[in-house]
Amino acid sequence: MNLRALNWVLLVGFLLTVALNFALRPDPSRPNFEVFPDMAHSARSNAFSPSKVFADGQTLQRPPEGAIPRGWLPLHYRATPEDAARAGAELVNPFAAADPQVRARGAFVFTTWCQPCHGAGGRGDGPVAQRGFPPPASLLSGKAVEMRDGQLFHILTYGQANMPSYASQISREDRWKAVSYVRWLQSQAIASAPKP
Ligand code: HEC
């Protein structure tokens, strides 16, 4: 085949390709042709649709006894003073008290959730307590100093007498950090107390 004939073949091929490009326009209202769909369309069932796989004929299955949802850790305590004491003996604050980031986060949590009643310094003189709510005892002396971290955590988690539970508003990590911050407030108060 000489060069001229080859050029004619290439020209015809080129024009054919351009013509096909217009003739076979894709229809935007339909999905594209899939050559190898592979696993794009695997078999699946909706949660509440019937299923032939399971004996009870349902897709959604009850989790096995003792299953724990991802991201949620159980706490095996009740809202009683005995269990608060047990939490004090068993639970350990997972955060290092000296970590400045822990203290900064604890300060934020304390200012947001605890200051209204306990006051910025933990003396029990927050605005809510000054307007008629039974004022809590100071966190800087007495019982709160002697309680162990786990017991403070239990109080934040389950509440105590007039103090409500904060488990639904404050995450578990943030409750521990608030405990660290209370400890820091106490250490500051002890450091600045007049020496005998
Ligand atoms: C609605 C007001 C209120 C808020 C908000 C509040 N508390 Fe309390 N808290 C109280 C009261 C009232 C008591 C005393 C309960 C009692 O009589 O045993 C108390 C008790 C405590 C105790 C035990 C002190 C003791 O001597 O028995 C600790 C520790 C404590 N709170 C920490 C916190 C922390 C930390 C926060 C923030 C997460 C917080 N509280 C938020 C009202 C509040």
Side-chain angles (χ1 to χ4, degrees):
M1 201 188 333
N2 62 27
L3 253 182
R4 180 177 282 254
L6 177 64
N7 275 342
W8 276 111
V9 170
L10 287 177
L11 180 67
V12 169
F14 172 69
L15 292 177
L16 202 70
T17 320
V18 174
L20 278 176
N21 203 25
F22 283 97
L24 301 178
R25 279 264 160 117
D27 178 357
S29 66
R30 297 178 54 198
N32 278 338
F33 183 73
E34 290 170 278
V35 186
F36 299 116
D38 289 339
M39 286 161 66
H41 307 287
S42 53
R44 56 178 285 280
S45 306
N46 288 328
F48 293 100
S49 64
S51 164
K52 291 195 189 79
V53 178
F54 296 110
D56 63 0
Q58 292 181 340
T59 300
L60 192 64
Q61 297 293 299
R62 187 175 291 280
E65 194 71 24
I68 297 169
R70 196 176 275 249
W72 186 86
L73 284 172
L75 266 178
H76 298 291
Y77 295 96
R78 286 164 303 132
T80 59
E82 297 76 44
D83 273 25
R86 187 163 67 83
E90 293 172 353
L91 297 180
V92 177
N93 193 334
F95 297 107
D99 184 339
Q101 276 180 331
V102 170
R103 188 187 305 155
R105 180 68 193 171
F108 175 79
V109 173
F110 191 90
T111 312
T112 309
W113 297 102
C114 321
Q115 181 184 335
C117 296
H118 287 277
R123 293 189 172 75
D125 54 359
V128 173
Q130 286 176 6
R131 284 170 179 74
F133 190 82
S138 170
L139 296 178
L140 305 182
S141 56
K143 253 168 72 189
V145 177
E146 280 146 33
M147 282 178 199
R148 307 184 64 175
D149 282 3
Q151 189 164 358
L152 298 187
F153 177 81
H154 184 283
I155 293 173
L156 305 201
T157 307
Y158 297 96
Q160 176 183 290
N162 282 328
M163 177 172 153
S165 154
Y166 280 89
S168 62
Q169 288 106 318
I170 311 176
S171 73
R172 181 184 294 223
E173 285 77 22
D174 277 356
R175 274 177 268 144
W176 279 118
K177 289 175 186 174
V179 168
S180 298
Y181 184 70
V182 170
R183 289 298 182 220
W184 184 76
L185 285 177
Q186 291 172 346
S187 70
Q188 296 303 101
I190 290 165
S192 64
K195 301 275 171 302

